[in-house]
């Protein structure tokens, strides 16, 4: 029997989760809520925020603006589900999702940022990155997919790269969806034993699972060097996916003064869930 807190002895193949994982999957990592948001309340707020996103998209097109949203976080943090709710009712001709796979041989020979640049939006468009150039500061670093020299070069270049994006008029948002270790393991376990979700559990996920502390170290180094005035990180506690999705939408909508913006519909940010910089990280 696995002792409470001993993640090293947990087995994804065991269909039965230890009680201590189930009991702490929401509240681990100092999560401030003991219950998930009720579905009815969530759906009511979601509709209001999605209506505001449509207003934002219209404004982006009319004003020839460009918006980039970067979604990062540990595996299973909820990046894809959050992006899905952003995109659900938007015009796909004017908003697109960027979810790149392993670099090709040609891309491996290019400047690291090059393949991401080709997916940046043109005027009147929004691009949502499901993982981004920050792969180099996370999975590539932890799993040895890049050299130390490549990693250091990336860390030195990324603030300037993002400064160029912002200086050129791009409205840049960087989200880190944060979850605790028990939350991640439960989500991995759910994927492993649900035939409709098992495709989400990749070999990279399995390699990453025992490297929690290594990912924490690289994440903290990334925040220290790339949380800048021109391109700040917004951290969201994502133990409850519903609250996380709403707070991500609310943050974007509150930062842009688009035509017809309804501040009452957007609502107030929950500072227990969302904040700038590393204050909410665990």
């Amino acid at each position: 029997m696995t002792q409470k807190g001993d993640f090293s002895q947990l087995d994804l193949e065991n269909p039965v989760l230890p009680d201590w994982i189930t009991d702490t999957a929401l509240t681990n990592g100092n999560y401030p809520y003991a219950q998930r948001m009720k579905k009815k309340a969530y759906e009511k707020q979601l509709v209001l925020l999605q209506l505001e996103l449509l207003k934002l998209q219209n404004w982006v097109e009319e004003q020839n603006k460009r918006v980039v949203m970067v979604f990062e976080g540990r595996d299973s943090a909820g990046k894809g589900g959050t992006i899905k709710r952003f995109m659900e009712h938007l015009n796909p001709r004017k908003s697109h999702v960027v979810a790149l796979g392993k670099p090709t041989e040609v891309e491996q020979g290019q400047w690291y940022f090059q393949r991401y640049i080709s997916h940046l939006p043109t005027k009147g468009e929004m691009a949502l990155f499901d993982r981004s150039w920050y792969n180099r500061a996370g999975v590539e670093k932890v799993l040895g997919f890049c050299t130390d020299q490549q990693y250091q070069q990336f860390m030195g270049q990324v603030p300037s790269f993002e400064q160029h994006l912002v200086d050129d008029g791009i409205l840049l948002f960087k989200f880190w969806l944060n979850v605790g270790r028990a939350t991640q393991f439960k989500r991995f376990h759910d994927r492993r034993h649900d035939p409709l979700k098992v495709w989400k559990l990749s070999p990279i996920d399995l390699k990453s699972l025992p490297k929690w502390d290594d990912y924490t170290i690289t994440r903290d180094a990334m925040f220290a060097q790339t949380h800048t005035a021109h391109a700040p990180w917004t951290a969201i506690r994502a133990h409850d996916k519903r609250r996380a999705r709403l707070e991500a939408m609310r943050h974007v909508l509150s930062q842009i003064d688009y035509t017809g913006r309804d501040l009452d519909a957007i609502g107030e940010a929950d500072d227990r869930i969302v904040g700038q910089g590393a204050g909410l990280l665990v």
Side-chain angles (χ1 to χ4, degrees):
M1 183 175 181
T2 306
Q3 292 186 350
K4 183 176 181 179
D6 186 2
F7 289 91
S8 65
Q9 299 301 315
L10 291 175
D11 181 8
L12 277 180
E13 298 303 317
N14 188 339
V16 180
L17 269 175
D19 289 341
W20 64 269
I21 288 286
T22 304
D23 293 344
T24 63
L26 180 64
T27 58
N28 69 117
N30 299 317
Y31 193 71
Y33 292 101
Q35 301 291 331
R36 288 176 172 80
M37 188 177 193
K38 298 297 184 182
K39 183 177 181 181
K40 187 174 181 180
Y42 163 69
E43 291 179 342
K44 181 179 179 180
Q45 292 188 38
L46 181 64
V47 169
L48 293 175
L49 294 173
Q50 288 177 331
L51 286 170
E52 292 300 306
L53 285 172
L54 283 169
K55 295 180 188 177
L56 172 62
Q57 185 179 49
N58 290 335
W59 176 83
V60 168
E61 182 176 4
E62 291 169 358
Q63 299 298 319
N64 290 325
K65 300 295 184 179
R66 291 169 291 160
V67 177
V68 170
M69 303 178 207
V70 168
F71 294 84
E72 292 287 349
R74 297 181 192 268
D75 297 318
S76 82
K79 299 176 291 296
T82 302
I83 291 171
K84 180 179 179 181
R85 273 64 182 189
F86 266 86
M87 290 289 296
E88 195 166 13
H89 299 293
L90 296 181
N91 181 350
R93 294 188 179 90
K94 292 298 179 179
S95 298
H96 64 273
V97 178
V98 184
L100 303 184
K102 180 181 178 181
T104 65
E105 185 175 350
V106 171
E107 289 171 335
Q108 290 177 24
Q110 297 173 342
W111 180 44
Y112 177 74
F113 293 96
Q114 190 167 336
R115 74 177 186 139
Y116 295 102
I117 290 172
S118 64
H119 294 278
L120 293 174
T122 188
K123 62 181 182 180
E125 291 185 354
M126 297 192 290
L128 289 75
F129 284 78
D130 186 349
R131 294 200 181 278
S132 67
W133 45 91
Y134 282 102
N135 275 335
R136 179 137 292 178
V139 63
E140 290 191 21
K141 168 64 173 173
V142 172
L143 297 183
F145 295 157
C146 67
T147 66
D148 287 342
Q149 180 181 2
Q150 289 172 326
Y151 168 76
Q152 294 297 338
Q153 185 177 47
F154 168 82
M155 293 293 277
Q157 290 181 348
V158 69
S160 296
F161 170 70
E162 292 174 348
Q163 182 74 69
H164 288 308
L165 298 183
V166 173
D167 288 348
D168 201 53
I170 287 178
L171 302 175
L172 177 62
F173 296 89
K174 300 190 306 189
F175 291 105
W176 179 270
L177 302 187
N178 199 60
V179 293
R181 195 168 186 179
T183 309
Q184 184 189 60
F185 189 88
K186 185 179 185 303
R187 290 179 183 176
F188 276 7
H189 187 272
D190 291 345
R191 291 177 179 182
R192 175 64 186 87
H193 297 281
D194 185 339
L196 296 178
K197 296 180 179 179
V198 69
W199 64 270
K200 293 183 177 182
L201 193 63
S202 71
I204 296 298
D205 293 336
L206 298 178
K207 289 182 180 180
S208 299
L209 188 59
K211 295 182 177 293
W212 178 272
D213 292 338
D214 294 331
Y215 272 98
T216 299
I217 292 169
T218 58
R219 179 205 63 191
D220 292 349
M222 180 189 75
F223 263 71
Q225 193 152 337
T226 66
H227 177 63
T228 59
H230 61 272
W233 281 101
T234 298
I236 299 178
R237 285 175 166 163
H239 302 62
D240 178 0
K241 294 180 181 180
R242 291 171 179 171
R243 287 190 175 95
R245 293 163 184 168
L246 298 179
E247 290 304 327
M249 293 179 182
R250 188 170 285 124
H251 177 75
V252 171
L253 295 167
S254 67
Q255 297 301 304
I256 302 176
D257 189 15
Y258 54 90
T259 304
R261 184 172 64 163
D262 186 341
L263 294 176
D264 290 333
I266 295 171
E268 296 291 331
D270 185 345
D271 59 11
R272 294 167 292 181
I273 298 296
V274 60
Q276 294 283 294
L280 298 177
L281 301 180
V282 292

